[in-house]
Amino acid sequence: MDIEAEIRALQLDSAEDNNATLIPEDAKPEEVEMTDKVEEEGMTDEVDTKSQPVQAEPKMKDKEVADMDCAEVPDEMESQKKRHLNVVFIGHVDAGKSTTGGQILFLSGQVDDRTIQKYEKEAKDKSRESWYMAYIMDTNEEERVKGKTVEVGRAQFETETTRFTILDAPGHKSYVPNMISGASQADIGVLVISARKGEFETGYERGGQTREHVQLAKTLGVSKLLVVVNKMDDHTVNWSKERYDEIESKIVPFLRSSGYNVKKDVQFLPISGLVGTNMKTRVDKNICPWWNGPCLFEALDSVEVPVRDPKGSYRMPIIDKFKDMGTVVMGKVESGSICEGDSLLVMPNKAPVKVLAVYCDEDKVRRAGPGENLRVRLSGIEEEDISSGFVLSSVVKPIPTVTEFTAQLQILELLENAIFTAGYKAVLHIHSVVEECEIVELLQQIDPKTKKPMKKKVLFVKNGAVVVCRIQVNSLICVEKFSDFPQLGRFTLRTEGKTIAVGKVTDLPSRSSA
Ligand code: GTP
Ligand code: MG
């Protein structure tokens, strides 16, 4: 069975998904683009217009008092009149993600020539001459020795209109969980593809991370993709238009089948991350006479992303924590706003906390809105009482906590000889939660052709199936229904280091609310 067709059939993010109902019988594959549009319009926390500075509106509906007060405090970031975007760099191992990320920092003046010379020497000493640009992003010894990113690298840079946080994900298949964590914090993705002879082919074949990363990114809510065809300077490529067109034409159908509206949400461009060509300024016609499109900085500058609701209920999944004059938690605000002095809950433990300080990048701010990556200093809780996967949440409307939920799953590719049935165990990745889970019951299989539930009782399913099932975890976790908060209701299941399914939470037990 063609898995890509099946994914398209699921249309994980279709308008109907937002209502947690099924896709109507007459939905046709060509409607992917249309439903994508509806999807964004239907998102509860996102609106399909150009991102604007977070603005407090005097109007309010049923929002809680704490959030409301906070949303009305002027955003210090607003004064800069720059929007903020989180960009995750994804793609197969060695595609050039860290090199391109490092080059961006160099071109934006954040790394001086002396540091580059130091990295050149260090890379040479490690017999990794060509990796010196990647060393800007790959900061730990293991990464530098192996020439592979392990942890998601973070950095900031600014263009004319936008402040960017770069999240440099690892491409190696062993580190997909780290990539998932990076992608779950991102608004847009830069998919880096190596054009070098043989490398594009390896990265793109089944089992390569190009496909896996794209599917994960879409599931994790990365709504827009810039596809950079990298290593155009390589002697096997030499800025060849044929090679570029070949890569584009092979990837487009796959992106479409993964749920991306290629016309609206995807942009291709050629670059050399190592040399820095077509990045800050457009490529010289002497090098690449056929390219008339934008350079990378221009493309990043003009990406439009949905605005999030600054007055929604506060939700910040915690990705990390440490001690520093109190307890500091890190994460991305998925909904609502936070202010110094706010009273919040750390869920699922319902621990009441007070916000002592909020840091955005290096700056202390009084208030921060959705989409921001923050460090928040809290009182009322010890660092050891927090785990990643917990959610800093509003008091009035805390995030639901569950040990069980109902979900619609798209089975991608099971391990050899495995069948997906009640009792199947996997690792659940949902926002910053990583938790063992078990499928306790298959409820319904969805016919990929008609998109309707099949009548026959389902006992097991195979690759490509779409199935509604009950999933259980051992300890309480924080989740939302996809229809309420897409970012907190979409997930992946992995077994033995492989992504075997993607899904969305369709229902929570009625007693789930805190
Ligand atoms: P992982 O973190 O392991 O997934 O790899 P990555 O995608 O971050 O790749 P990285 O930036 O570490 O680069 C891998 C190799 O490709 C290094 O030897 C780079 O010098 C080389 N490379 C990256 N970009 C380019 C490019 O534009 N041109 C050429 N010729 N080589 C490049
Ligand atoms: Mg890397």
Side-chain angles (χ1 to χ4, degrees):
M1 201 179 285
D2 183 348
I3 293 172
E4 288 160 18
E6 298 295 322
I7 294 172
R8 182 171 55 233
L10 174 67
Q11 295 182 346
L12 247 183
D13 297 334
S14 71
E16 289 76 17
D17 291 334
N18 286 323
N19 300 324
T21 55
L22 299 171
I23 298 156
E25 200 173 1
D26 57 354
K28 300 181 198 77
E30 310 84 83
E31 288 176 357
V32 170
E33 299 204 344
M34 187 203 81
T35 50
D36 264 16
K37 181 164 181 287
V38 180
E39 166 210 346
E40 290 183 4
E41 284 167 0
M43 290 259 188
T44 48
D45 64 345
E46 296 176 349
V47 187
D48 187 22
T49 51
K50 186 149 184 150
S51 178
Q52 287 151 5
V54 177
Q55 192 99 41
E57 273 181 38
K59 218 169 42 184
M60 43 140 164
K61 285 181 280 180
D62 53 348
K63 305 299 183 208
E64 61 234 58
V65 176
D67 283 1
M68 177 199 79
D69 286 342
C70 183
E72 285 180 352
V73 175
D75 190 337
E76 267 138 83
M77 291 301 138
E78 203 182 321
S79 60
Q80 299 179 5
K81 288 288 174 224
K82 282 196 181 183
R83 60 184 186 145
H84 175 243
L85 281 185
N86 300 289
V87 190
V88 67
F89 281 58
I90 56 174
H92 193 69
V93 68
D94 281 353
K97 299 176 288 299
S98 304
T99 300
T100 305
Q103 183 70 257
I104 287 177
L105 297 189
F106 179 63
L107 292 173
S108 57
Q110 298 189 56
V111 185
D112 58 24
D113 290 333
R114 269 191 49 201
T115 310
I116 294 288
Q117 281 158 16
K118 200 182 96 197
Y119 289 161
E120 268 176 326
K121 181 169 181 315
E122 184 181 341
K124 199 158 181 226
D125 291 346
K126 292 188 162 72
S127 305
R128 294 212 166 270
E129 279 90 334
S130 63
W131 263 263
Y132 64 94
M133 272 290 167
Y135 278 16
I136 299 173
M137 296 303 299
D138 292 337
T139 47
N140 77 41
E141 185 63 14
E142 180 191 358
E143 295 178 320
R144 289 185 175 179
V145 170
K146 292 190 181 152
K148 304 220 171 340
T149 306
V150 179
E151 305 279 346
V152 175
R154 261 170 197 279
Q156 273 83 33
F157 82 104
E158 291 188 13
T159 56
E160 290 288 306
T161 63
T162 316
R163 284 184 305 121
F164 290 98
T165 299
I166 300 179
L167 302 155
D168 174 30
H172 194 276
K173 58 177 181 297
S174 312
Y175 309 124
V176 172
N178 294 352
M179 176 272 169
I180 291 174
S181 136
S184 71
Q185 299 162 56
D187 306 295
I188 63 167
V190 172
L191 172 64
V192 183
I193 309 276
S194 168
R196 183 182 282 164
K197 195 167 178 218
E199 285 191 358
F200 163 66
E201 286 72 15
T202 319
Y204 190 55
E205 67 195 17
R206 279 169 200 280
Q209 271 54 60
T210 307
R211 287 167 192 262
E212 186 176 21
H213 280 195
V214 168
Q215 289 169 339
L216 289 170
K218 181 66 186 167
T219 312
L220 294 161
V222 175
S223 58
K224 307 268 175 170
L225 276 187
L226 291 182
V227 183
V228 298
V229 179
N230 187 34
K231 308 200 186 181
M232 290 299 290
D233 65 292
D234 188 79
H235 68 93
T236 64
V237 187
N238 227 347
W239 292 91
S240 150
K241 181 173 186 322
E242 285 72 47
R243 181 62 166 165
Y244 178 83
D245 289 344
E246 177 197 356
I247 292 172
E248 178 169 342
S249 66
K250 285 193 171 147
I251 290 184
V252 160
F254 175 70
L255 293 175
R256 203 168 273 145
S257 70
S258 303
Y260 282 100
N261 177 334
V262 175
K263 270 201 210 105
K264 205 166 75 75
D265 299 330
V266 181
Q267 192 177 352
F268 279 77
L269 66 152
I271 64 161
S272 165
L274 188 60
V275 185
T277 317
N278 206 35
M279 290 187 57
K280 194 174 179 186
T281 52
R282 291 190 183 195
V283 58
D284 196 316
K285 287 277 179 225
N286 293 327
I287 297 174
C288 183
W290 50 268
W291 181 250
N292 297 310
C295 58
L296 181 59
F297 279 40
E298 284 176 300
L300 283 167
D301 240 354
S302 60
V303 177
E304 293 183 9
V305 291
V307 185
R308 291 187 165 81
D309 179 9
K311 294 202 258 66
S313 302
Y314 191 71
R315 302 278 186 268
M316 185 183 98
I318 295 170
I319 54 166
D320 208 353
K321 40 114 197 214
F322 54 92
K323 262 193 194 131
D324 177 20
M325 299 189 309
T327 301
V328 179
V329 292
M330 286 170 63
K332 178 182 162 206
V333 184
E334 292 295 354
S335 161
S337 303
I338 186 169
C339 249
E340 243 177 55
D342 275 357
S343 295
L344 296 170
L345 290 178
V346 172
M347 299 294 285
N349 291 0
K350 298 186 195 162
V353 291
K354 207 152 181 96
V355 176
L356 297 179
V358 180
Y359 297 87
C360 186
D361 302 338
E362 296 312 310
D363 308 317
K364 188 162 181 284
V365 294
R366 237 167 15 116
R367 168 184 173 274
E372 296 288 354
N373 278 305
L374 302 180
R375 282 175 293 129
V376 181
R377 179 171 291 123
L378 301 171
S379 68
I381 194 159
E382 293 301 321
E383 177 246 352
E384 48 271 21
D385 295 329
I386 301 177
S387 300
S388 59
F390 284 15
V391 176
L392 195 56
S393 171
S394 82
V395 177
V396 175
K397 199 168 170 231
I399 186 166
T401 57
V402 297
T403 53
E404 190 186 302
F405 59 89
T406 305
Q408 183 169 317
L409 277 184
Q410 161 76 49
I411 312 292
L412 299 176
E413 208 172 345
L414 297 167
L415 300 181
E416 229 172 295
N417 300 326
I419 45 168
F420 194 85
T421 179
Y424 190 96
K425 290 196 173 69
V427 180
L428 168 75
H429 293 257
I430 183 163
H431 58 89
S432 55
V433 169
V434 182
E435 194 72 38
E436 287 264 343
C437 72
E438 181 174 336
I439 310 302
V440 282
E441 188 184 0
L442 303 191
L443 298 170
Q444 275 175 335
Q445 185 167 2
I446 310 291
D447 184 329
K449 296 214 173 59
T450 65
K451 320 288 186 299
K452 282 191 148 187
M454 288 150 79
K455 290 232 167 62
K456 228 174 76 198
K457 183 145 178 52
V458 54
L459 292 175
F460 66 92
V461 291
K462 295 193 216 145
N463 284 349
V466 179
V467 64
V468 179
C469 55
R470 277 200 303 127
I471 299 180
Q472 220 170 51
V473 286
N474 288 330
S475 37
L476 269 182
I477 57 167
C478 301
V479 300
E480 293 275 9
K481 282 207 295 202
F482 178 87
S483 52
D484 294 339
F485 289 81
Q487 293 289 19
L488 304 170
R490 38 168 53 121
F491 63 89
T492 60
L493 291 185
R494 308 191 83 236
T495 318
E496 292 182 22
K498 251 185 80 182
T499 304
I500 58 115
V502 296
K504 60 179 196 225
V505 178
T506 52
D507 219 347
L508 303 175
S510 49
R511 63 185 183 287
S512 61
S513 290

